Amino acid sequence: MKKTLFIILSVVAILLFSGCSSIGITDVQPVSLEFKNPTKVVYGTNRTNYDEQNQIYKDPIEYEIPEDSVKGVVKKLLSLTYKKYEGNIDASPINDYIVMYDNDNNFVTIQIGSLNEDVMHYELVGIDAFIDYLMQVVTPKGGKFYTIQEAYDQGLLTLENLNLLHKYHERVQIQLELDSIFEGAIKKTRLAELINDYPNATLENINIDKYYGKYESAYAVKISVTFYIYGGIVSETIEGLEFVFNGPSTLIWCDTK
């Protein structure tokens, strides 16, 4: 019995003094009570904004967590723990964070990843599973295309949006970047439209030729299908603004949450 007790105490001592211990995420990044039941949650990440040409992660893109997933995200977030080590480790170029808002639009930001504080390093446990979960939550489950006129008539585009979209249409050289999550969702929506008539169609047959920006929850894209033959120049005029299309028309895509 004494021998067994000695072994148990020895193991506990090793764990306590090995320089590694577990600690809750809110012990390192405190969150007051009002933010633990937030009215809105946003996930920010630069994982979806990687510059292949320069091989760098650019600024984070923010995604609002759907209302029906807020409680689940907060519960998983607040249950995360760190492993605490002595010494500092170089920071990762990947930047993940959660922003939680209260009723007055005040907010608190929680970094998702490893942290260095004083001479201690905090390594987040289970980060890969949590990031996978967040990606699933913010990835649209479906979407719908509208013409510019339809989007304007249904209030998906305001007159201000329309004017800005027209300016982008006029500036041939403008290059806006569409993040990978919504690029994939938009292509999948187009594929779903094609698949009944073209059962062999794949995502490889769909190209987003031009991205004209995000307007609230609407994305303006010029999208083409590799095996389509498009006609000549066409145009449509909305509120006195003429939109000219050479090939496929610009469509407005919205997430059908």
Side-chain angles (χ1 to χ4, degrees), residues 18-215:
S18 61
C20 170
S21 60
S22 180
I23 186 170
I25 190 168
T26 55
D27 293 326
V28 179
Q29 301 183 75
V31 176
S32 55
L33 187 60
E34 63 267 25
F35 292 112
K36 292 184 179 181
N37 187 26
T39 55
K40 183 174 80 169
V41 175
V42 170
Y43 168 45
T45 182
N46 62 358
R47 292 171 185 265
T48 56
N49 197 14
Y50 184 69
D51 184 337
E52 294 280 357
Q53 183 175 351
N54 296 306
Q55 297 187 334
I56 58 169
Y57 287 94
K58 300 174 75 175
D59 292 339
I61 297 170
E62 294 192 340
Y63 305 92
E64 185 170 349
I65 301 297
E67 188 176 347
D68 60 356
S69 297
V70 165
K71 286 186 177 179
V73 168
V74 173
K75 183 178 179 180
K76 287 181 182 291
L77 172 69
L78 298 181
S79 69
L80 292 174
T81 60
Y82 288 107
K83 285 292 185 182
K84 181 179 175 183
Y85 302 90
E86 291 185 0
N88 290 337
I89 296 177
D90 290 342
S92 168
I94 296 176
N95 183 5
D96 292 296
Y97 57 87
I98 293 286
V99 186
M100 297 188 289
Y101 293 83
D102 67 9
N103 288 318
D104 298 321
N105 216 33
N106 299 312
F107 64 90
V108 62
T109 302
I110 303 292
Q111 291 295 322
I112 308 300
S114 60
L115 296 173
N116 291 318
E117 189 171 300
D118 297 327
V119 291
M120 303 303 297
H121 176 73
Y122 297 87
E123 190 71 30
L124 197 62
V125 178
I127 182 173
D128 291 340
F130 185 57
I131 295 299
D132 287 346
Y133 168 71
L134 289 173
M135 287 293 187
Q136 290 174 14
V137 166
V138 300
T139 298
K141 305 301 184 289
K144 184 177 179 181
F145 287 110
Y146 303 84
T147 65
I148 298 175
Q149 182 71 66
E150 289 171 341
Y152 181 63
D153 289 345
Q154 295 188 36
L156 301 172
L157 294 177
T158 65
L159 183 57
E160 183 181 356
N161 296 153
L162 203 63
N163 276 287
L164 183 56
L165 177 56
H166 184 260
K167 286 181 182 178
Y168 286 157
H169 250 266
E170 297 291 294
R171 299 173 185 173
V172 179
Q173 300 302 320
I174 194 163
Q175 294 292 331
L176 300 177
E177 294 185 17
L178 176 62
D179 79 79
S180 58
I181 285 181
F182 283 91
E183 179 180 359
I186 291 169
K187 286 184 175 182
K188 286 177 182 177
T189 301
R190 188 68 183 100
L191 180 61
E193 294 179 342
L194 288 174
I195 210 72
N196 286 335
D197 294 326
Y198 303 94
N200 294 323
T202 69
L203 289 175
E204 297 297 321
N205 297 123
I206 299 167
N207 296 315
I208 295 178
D209 302 323
K210 199 79 174 179
Y211 171 52
Y212 293 106
K214 179 184 178 185
Y215 305 88

